[in-house]
Amino acid sequence: MARPALRMPRRPRLVWTSFIVLFTLAALAAVWLYANSQVVATVNGERITRSEMYHAMYARSGRDVLEEVINKRLILQEAKAKDVVVEPAELEAEISKIIANFGSEEAFLETLKVYGLTREFLEEEIRVELLSRKLVMAQVTVTEEEAMAFFSDNRQLFDEHEAVRFSHLLVATAEEAAAAMARLEAGESLGKLAEELSLDYYSRFHEGDVGYVERGDLVPELEEVLFGMALHELSSPVETIYGFHIMLVTGRKEAKTASYEEVREEVLEYLKSTKAEQVASQWMWGLRAAASVKYR
């Protein structure tokens, strides 16, 4: 059962090549799995070997994979030449973001296992990504005037909106919701029940915690109830297309108009990141043009 559909964050955020990295990992994993199977299929008794499959895959996308490996080597060489490093804490923070998308480290590691990958392999890929980010970010600058002008034109992106943090338990039927309510009223915690019963895969691994949401983030049925609740209040079951939700308000934030001084660093980071994304390809091609690459 899917979680309630949440919108993307209102504030601008840096989006780098994480999705590209993950798709590349999946493609490489497929190659690895096939290349390590002696026989991958039989057709009317005739075997298709791993070697045959590998060569077919290489013919289709092998050159693209090779180009990625070359780019990776150039990035590592450039980082070494310029003494750019990724600290362990930086790498761990990036890995933690990815794990959060899986709901738990257990689910994350299980997914890697399915693709025949290790955490160490993924960490190395992310380390190269972070190195490239640092190298490119060092090529761009943002003036105070640019930042102030952007804030003036996009002030609403940085204003704090009314927000509510809540935990919830999602079950399929009204009967299940009634049974869960009875257990809650008897003293059991919503967090523990969510871990045991909730159909919301993502929040289940965080004791039902959804985090902060703003108006417009949730389906209307939930929002109408949630924003009328008091702090620490527990709702009655609320029906949506996903099932029956029981919600507990755990935090509230009031609306607040942002000032430039308060969000200055965020504005500068966003503009610098935007510029970096625009020049990243050009920077990579510059490394390629200056390198001696010989194909065998």
Side-chain angles (χ1 to χ4, degrees):
M1 179 73 66
R3 67 179 297 177
L6 301 182
R7 299 192 312 177
M8 294 296 291
R10 285 179 170 81
R11 292 196 181 189
R13 289 290 186 268
L14 171 63
V15 178
W16 204 257
T17 59
S18 296
F19 291 113
I20 297 174
V21 168
L22 292 178
F23 279 117
T24 300
L25 292 179
L28 290 174
V31 173
W32 186 92
L33 287 170
Y34 280 123
N36 285 275
S37 300
Q38 191 65 42
V39 177
V40 295
T42 60
V43 180
N44 293 326
E46 294 184 5
R47 297 181 301 171
I48 297 177
T49 66
R50 63 177 181 176
S51 176
E52 184 178 351
M53 173 62 78
Y54 175 79
H55 287 301
M57 294 183 72
Y58 185 84
R60 290 188 176 185
S61 59
R63 183 58 179 264
D64 292 335
V65 174
L66 176 59
E67 294 302 320
E68 287 294 328
V69 174
I70 291 172
N71 289 347
K72 175 181 175 180
R73 186 61 55 85
L74 288 173
I75 292 168
L76 291 171
Q77 291 174 352
E78 182 74 359
K80 183 177 181 180
K82 295 189 174 180
D83 294 322
V84 175
V85 298
V86 173
E87 299 297 337
E90 296 177 285
L91 180 60
E92 187 58 35
E94 200 72 15
I95 294 293
S96 295
K97 294 177 186 177
I98 296 175
I99 291 176
N101 290 327
F102 288 88
S104 71
E105 185 167 7
E106 180 183 2
F108 165 71
L109 294 175
E110 185 62 28
T111 302
L112 290 182
K113 183 178 179 181
V114 168
Y115 283 110
L117 303 175
T118 64
R119 179 181 174 126
E120 290 72 25
F121 177 81
L122 179 62
E123 285 179 351
E124 177 60 17
E125 294 298 310
I126 298 301
R127 186 174 74 86
V128 175
E129 180 186 336
L130 292 175
L131 287 172
S132 68
R133 187 184 305 179
K134 286 188 173 187
L135 289 165
V136 175
M137 290 281 277
Q139 306 297 312
V140 299
T141 58
V142 175
T143 67
E144 196 72 26
E145 291 73 19
E146 287 179 287
M148 293 180 68
F150 180 84
F151 175 76
S152 179
D153 292 339
N154 300 276
R155 184 183 300 269
Q156 73 281 359
L157 294 175
F158 300 92
D159 288 341
E160 295 286 349
H161 299 266
E162 179 189 8
V164 175
R165 182 172 186 172
F166 74 105
S167 297
H168 85 140
L169 166 67
L170 173 63
V171 293
T173 67
E175 291 74 20
E176 289 174 315
M181 282 297 298
R183 292 175 64 178
L184 290 169
E185 291 168 354
E188 294 190 56
S189 73
L190 185 141
K192 295 305 179 184
L193 279 185
E195 287 184 331
E196 176 187 341
L197 303 173
S198 186
L199 299 176
D200 183 345
Y201 177 83
Y202 294 96
S203 66
R204 186 175 72 209
F205 290 99
H206 297 88
E207 296 188 337
D209 182 40
V210 177
Y212 277 99
V213 296
E214 301 175 3
R215 291 188 184 275
D217 282 344
L218 301 174
V219 292
E221 299 93 331
L222 287 183
E223 195 169 283
E224 182 179 354
V225 174
L226 181 64
F227 280 86
M229 294 170 62
L231 187 62
H232 306 309
E233 182 179 353
L234 183 70
S235 77
S236 299
V238 179
E239 184 178 5
T240 72
I241 60 172
Y242 303 101
F244 291 81
H245 307 251
I246 300 172
M247 300 181 290
L248 174 67
V249 174
T250 58
R252 299 192 71 97
K253 290 181 180 179
E254 300 303 321
K256 179 182 177 183
T257 301
S259 68
Y260 177 71
E261 291 73 22
E262 291 174 323
V263 297
R264 174 180 177 275
E265 293 303 319
E266 187 175 348
V267 175
L268 289 170
E269 179 188 358
Y270 171 71
L271 290 179
K272 193 171 183 181
S273 298
T274 300
K275 285 188 176 184
E277 290 177 3
Q278 293 170 350
V279 305
S281 294
Q282 182 180 354
W283 171 79
M284 191 69 244
W285 280 112
L287 290 184
R288 292 295 296 257
S292 174
V293 179
K294 298 180 180 180
Y295 297 92
R296 303 298 183 182

